Amino acid sequence: MIIMGLINNAALLLALIIIYEISYNIPAGWVKLVPWMNGILIGFIGLIIMTFPYELKPGIFFDTRTILISTSALTFGLLPASIASIILVLYRIALGGAGLLMGIATIVTSVCVGGLWRHFFIPQYGRLRWVNIYLFGVVVHLLMLVDAFVLAWDTALQIIEQITIPVLLVYPIATVILSLLILQQKERKEAQTRIMDAEERYKSIFHNSHNIMLLIDPHSGSIIDANPAASRFYGWTIETLKSMNIEQINTLNPDETKAEMEKAYLEKRNYFLFQHRRASGEAVDVEVHSSPVTLKEKTYLYSIIHDISDRVVANLALYESEQRFRLLVESAPEAIFIVSEGKFRYINEFAVSVFGAQSAAQLLNTNVMDRYHPDYHGIIRERVKILLEEKKSMPPNEVIFLRLDGTSVFVEVSAVPIHYNNTDGSLVIARDITEQKIASYEILKLNTELEQRVEERTSELQKSVNELEAFAYTVSHDLKSPLRAIDAYSRILMEDYPEVIEGEIQDILSNIKNISRDMIALINKLLQYSTASRLGLYRETIDLHQLFELTFNELTAAIPERRIKLIMETQIPKIEGDKILLKQVVNNIISNAVKFTRNTDTAVIKVGHTIEANQITIYVNDNGVGFPMESSEKLFGIFQRLHSAEEYEGTGIGLATVQKIIKKHGGRVRILGKAGKGATIYVTLPK
């Protein structure tokens, strides 16, 4: 009686198959709602099942809700099963009775076991899949029997005693049958969906592809289908193409066309180069990839066609270019050869002559290193390694080739990486520079001899200059004594015999005295100039800023009646140099500025500096008489003057001395000016 009641109740579970069928026919836009809808429908079936239970005791009744919920969780998923479980739990609470807690517990355990089994032990395809599901059914219903112990102990034992055998006999089998029906239905639907998706993808690819595609009957050559790209390419409508035979398009004769289709059909070949006719009558070069494809149990040739007319034109142009290149290489007046795996693979006529061979055959496939002088083997191996591994071109490098007779040839070699006959190698260009090397050697020899002669003449000239400077120094020094004597005697006569020396004689003695003093000043300047050349440098730290200020104060102290202003525009840094010589430089420059601003009401002397890179430039500007720039070069010549001695006193040696001292320090001097607008002298020294 119990078994029959449970079997009748289990029949209602077949409604699940209908739900599964419905879920596969819901529109795509509603797909996200499918689990919810399934859950509600499963819950509705559960309500019907619970309406026709087997009642063991008042308030304690049994039905197949555990099969419904566990199978739903296993096949539909946890969400629909959970929704259905909530509905059934609410309904069971509404029913009440002594078996309320057990009823709720069986629903909860069923959905939990179904969800876990789906996640960890879901049955895959195979003959023993039913065993997996049967074990699943046994586990679910063993737990259902355990749930009885939420009731009173004697009631639980009574339930176990009466329903254990019927439940374990009927429920696992019902679970297997129902699950297998649903899973098979699911697999069948999924297979149908995959087929439909595949067909849709094929149609989408076929009709939306920009590639030209044809579907051809391999036996008759009839065009079964053509895509829009084919229609655009050939110039016929799709319907027209579908009424045509491939022999009307292929320029091969019918027998050749059938033979090529046979190769594609039997998969002996799937790549072809043809010429196809267009509706306009134009023949176009195409490449065809064709292979058999089965649609609705019939085999066709699925052909993808590419227009390669541009490629054919490009290949022809490339071939012509290669021919021109070959002609150029063959007739080039330089040795050109290709090397791979250390051997000559190609060599032009000029290279044949450079190596002293009768023909290219004497060199082809021989070792290239045999044609290099041994002194260059290491360099060549290193260059070849870089060229092949890093794919870098090698710049020109001078080496020596060895002819077949052993004689040497000087060449300038460059190389570029090249792929030749499926092998990495190098294209080598060598220019014969033997004549240039001989000429260079002769020029080098002449230059060496010339440098030697120049060095000898320079040495002799320097010796003469040194002797002349020594002579000038000696003469200047020796002339000072008699001039001082003349000056002294003149002064004695004028001071001791004033009553005798009168009139014209007094003027003569005064002139003698003045001339003597001018000569002594000139000799002092000459000695300074000579000293600047002869003495070595004693370098020390010099405060040029302070030196300019002290020198200015010393020179202007003797002429208090003059209005002279010194403006130090920048703080001149300290430098390394010979203090005595540089003091002479500053003295000569400032004294010139003071001297040539004599006729200016308010003389202004500006001193400052600039720094660039590793050098400092000091400038001294005055607002004096200035000078025309075309005469600037004369200012640095010894005894050169732009003004007469009556206008401005001086010897014409001051700036020459400045230039010599600054050059000795590794610097340079230049001067800018304008007549009536003053002058600026620039002294540049290394920092």
Side-chain angles (χ1 to χ4, degrees), residues 206-207 213-214 223-232 234-244:
F206 190 82
H207 291 288
M213 295 183 180
L214 296 175
I223 297 174
I224 305 303
D225 200 359
N227 70 347
S231 176
R232 290 191 297 270
Y234 289 111
W236 288 293
T237 64
I238 293 176
E239 291 304 317
T240 302
L241 283 169
K242 289 166 71 173
S243 67
M244 296 173 64

Side-chain angles (χ1 to χ4, degrees), residues 99-113:
L100 174 60
L101 290 178
M102 180 183 176
I104 294 172
T106 57
I107 295 171
V108 173
T109 54
S110 296
V111 74
C112 291
V113 173

Side-chain angles (χ1 to χ4, degrees), residues 1 53 58 64 100 109 115 121 148 164 170 176 250 279 371 387 407 451 469 480 496 550 553 561 576 614 642 658 665:
M1 186 65 181
T64 55
L100 174 60
T109 54
F121 309 107
T164 297
V170 176
V176 171
N250 202 316
R371 302 275 64 83
L387 184 142
T407 57
E451 288 175 1
E469 287 182 348
K480 287 175 69 176
D496 293 349
L550 290 175
N553 291 336
E561 71 279 3
E576 296 292 322
N614 294 319
L642 299 183
V658 168
H665 280 78

